[in-house]
């Protein structure tokens, strides 16, 4: 039995608390210290019986025995805390977006390269079991050559969600950077890089300074094309969290929200529904297309991500989403805002 890895948690807010609770269940690691200036940071540290510090600097100064760090602070604190951890030789699991700007993201990636210390970016959906099956299905030609994808994400956020300034205003607010970034990461993982996109929409339903509703056209390097519709102002049964039930605060509907179309069939996620013609008939519109569900597993993406990070810390595997990958997803999401502002397509 190996000793549990000792992790520090920076930022014990909404997602930080979820990391803390997931880590409590994971025998391979233990969160031993929390840095968070807010009272709930001290309260959680007390509840979990771990050291509390008001600042990241104090934690790094006093905790000598760490093996890794989880960074779940606001976006503009990811780079400075991440670089400080890397300089201490601590591998980092940093929440998405990797940082708030491309320049600070590049600085974080450069520090990781210079010190040879890995960064894993918290695009946890890649650890949903359906994604492994989908990746294999798309790569092995089961649906032929993927030519198109449709993605939906639409849920109405509660009104008090917008009490926090940063959620109503640039540079951190809006569903593109907060929510769609996960879909962009998954689509890039499954179909390859997005090389061109155009966005329409904006503050359609609310008067906030950030968008609430978006329509995107995207083109992948492979030539495949896609449409993405997103709104945080419209209740619907369609969206990743609704389809998977991965977020305990969002009651699930079990509906698909992605449809991949290939030259030999189609695949809908997250239910992993494969649509195919029978092998003994031509695969054309005059013949019946049938659905076959593919095997799926238990959904515990955040926990799976943490288990994976433990392997990264022990040097057993490379991060599934490394810093450069997280930065390319950030670059793609920032292009959405650029396209909206300029009202034209953006090449990446
Ligand atoms: N992976 C996901 O699905 C997911 C979900 C939610 C949030 N996030 C990301 O996680 C990060 C945090 O989001 P949140 O919703 O938990 O925000 P939050 O406001 O609920 O929590 C952030 C916490 O960080 C603390 N903090 C601020 N500055 C700090 C510093 N310098 N050092 C230590 N702690 C500091 C705050 O006091 C707060 O408790 C953001 O980057 C966000 O994009 C990811």
């Amino acid at each position: 039995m190996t000793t549990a890895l000792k992790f520090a948690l920076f930022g014990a807010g909404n997602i930080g608390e979820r990391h803390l609770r997931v880590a409590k269940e994971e025998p391979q690691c233990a969160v031993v210290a929390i840095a968070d200036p807010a009272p709930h940071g001290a309260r959680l540290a007390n509840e979990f019986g771990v050291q509390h510090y008001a600042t990241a600097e104090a934690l790094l100064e006093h905790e000598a025995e760490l093996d890794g760090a989880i960074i779940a602070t606001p976006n503009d604190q990811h780079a400075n805390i991440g670089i400080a951890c890397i300089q201490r030789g601590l591998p980092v699991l940093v929440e998405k977006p990797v940082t708030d700007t491309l320049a600070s993201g590049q600085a974080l990636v450069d520090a990781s390269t210079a010190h040879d210390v890995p960064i894993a970016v918290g695009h946890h959906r890649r650890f949903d079991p359906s994604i492994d099956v989908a990746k294999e299905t798309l790569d092995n030609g089961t649906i032929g050559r993927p030519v198109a994808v449709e993605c939906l994400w639409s849920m109405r956020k509660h009104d008090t969600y917008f009490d926090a300034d940063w959620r109503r205003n640039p540079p951190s607010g809006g569903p593109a950077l907060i929510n769609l970034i996960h879909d962009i990461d998954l689509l890039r993982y499954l179909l390859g890089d997005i090389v061109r996109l155009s966005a329409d929409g904006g503050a359609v339903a609310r008067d906030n300074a950030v968008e609430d509703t978006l329509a995107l056209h995207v083109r992948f390097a492979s030539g495949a094309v896609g449409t993405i519709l997103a709104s945080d102002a419209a209740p619907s049964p369609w969206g990743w969290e609704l389809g998977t039930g991965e977020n305990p605060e969002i009651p699930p509907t079990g509906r698909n929200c992605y449809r991949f179309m290939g030259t030999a069939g189609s695949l809908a996620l997250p239910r992993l529904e494969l649509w195919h013609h029978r092998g003994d008939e031509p695969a054309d519109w005059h013949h019946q297309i049938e659905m076959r569900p593919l095997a799926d597993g238990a959904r515990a993406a955040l926990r799976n991500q943490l288990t994976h990070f433990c392997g990264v810390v022990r040097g057993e595997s490379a991060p599934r989403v490394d810093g450069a990958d997280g930065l390319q997803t950030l670059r793609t999401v920032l292009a959405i805002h650029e396209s909206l502002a300029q009202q034209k397509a953006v090449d990446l």
Side-chain angles (χ1 to χ4, degrees):
M1 173 83 189
T2 50
T3 330
L5 297 166
K6 296 188 178 74
F7 290 165
L9 174 66
F10 298 89
N14 172 23
I15 194 77
E17 180 172 344
R18 282 182 62 200
H19 282 297
L20 194 57
R21 296 194 183 282
V22 164
K24 185 83 181 157
E25 305 298 316
E26 173 56 68
Q28 295 185 52
C29 67
V31 171
V32 296
I34 292 174
D36 193 314
H40 57 253
R43 181 182 56 71
L44 277 173
N46 189 40
E47 178 187 334
F48 282 78
V50 305
Q51 281 295 326
H52 173 255
Y53 299 90
T55 65
E57 294 76 15
L59 186 153
L60 287 172
E61 192 185 327
H62 290 100
E63 293 289 331
E65 303 279 301
L66 296 171
D67 298 302
I70 301 172
I71 302 177
T73 58
N75 304 347
D76 62 356
Q77 300 292 310
H78 290 185
N80 58 340
I81 296 176
I83 290 171
C85 290
I86 285 168
Q87 286 170 343
R88 271 269 314 261
L90 299 176
V92 162
L93 172 60
V94 61
E95 264 305 339
K96 63 77 202 169
V98 59
T99 51
D100 57 337
T101 65
L102 294 178
S104 62
Q106 192 59 56
L108 183 60
V109 170
D110 289 347
S112 162
T113 308
H115 292 266
D116 196 20
V117 175
I119 306 170
V121 185
H123 287 294
H124 63 274
R125 286 188 200 169
R126 285 212 205 174
F127 297 88
D128 187 276
S130 70
I131 296 304
D132 289 335
V133 183
K135 177 79 176 145
E136 167 73 13
T137 305
L138 292 168
D139 286 355
N140 70 15
T142 303
I143 69 162
R145 179 179 165 211
V147 294
V149 64
E150 179 196 59
C151 163
L152 287 173
W153 189 95
S154 190
M155 316 176 192
R156 186 178 181 283
K157 290 177 179 167
H158 53 291
D159 293 337
T160 53
Y161 176 92
F162 297 98
D163 287 351
D165 262 13
W166 68 266
R167 288 175 166 156
R168 294 192 309 272
N169 293 295
S172 303
L177 197 55
I178 295 176
N179 310 103
L180 266 194
I181 191 166
H182 285 298
D183 300 285
I184 297 287
D185 171 69
L186 278 191
L187 294 180
R188 286 189 54 245
Y189 179 58
L190 294 171
L191 292 182
D193 271 341
I194 291 170
V195 293
R196 186 177 174 83
L197 66 79
S198 63
D200 206 348
V204 176
R206 297 190 189 91
D207 290 331
N208 293 340
V210 290
E211 80 281 355
D212 53 60
T213 304
L214 284 170
L216 308 181
H217 285 153
V218 298
R219 185 191 300 158
F220 296 85
S222 67
V225 292
T227 61
I228 303 175
L229 284 178
S231 178
D232 69 6
S236 95
W238 306 295
W240 188 261
E241 299 94 322
L242 291 162
T244 59
E246 66 154 39
N247 184 334
E249 293 177 13
I250 299 176
T253 60
R255 300 300 169 122
N256 287 316
C257 56
Y258 295 169
R259 291 185 182 87
F260 294 90
M261 285 142 273
T263 52
S266 293
L267 177 69
L269 293 187
R271 295 177 65 90
L272 282 171
E273 292 173 355
L274 179 67
W275 287 86
H276 232 264
H277 287 86
R278 283 170 35 177
D280 55 347
E281 289 181 348
D284 66 34
W285 63 350
H286 287 148
H287 294 86
Q288 184 71 50
I289 190 162
E290 295 171 342
M291 194 277 281
R292 173 163 66 88
L294 300 178
D296 203 355
R299 300 196 185 280
L302 212 58
R303 168 72 180 272
N304 296 345
Q305 175 180 255
L306 185 65
T307 309
H308 165 76
F309 182 58
C310 290
V312 170
V313 171
R314 288 195 300 263
E316 294 164 3
S317 53
R320 190 176 285 190
V321 190
D322 65 15
D325 205 356
L327 195 56
Q328 186 58 23
T329 290
L330 176 62
R331 190 173 284 117
T332 309
V333 171
L334 294 180
I336 297 174
H337 287 150
E338 190 183 335
S339 174
L340 273 182
Q342 298 185 358
Q343 285 292 290
K344 62 176 196 187
V346 173
D347 290 312
L348 283 142

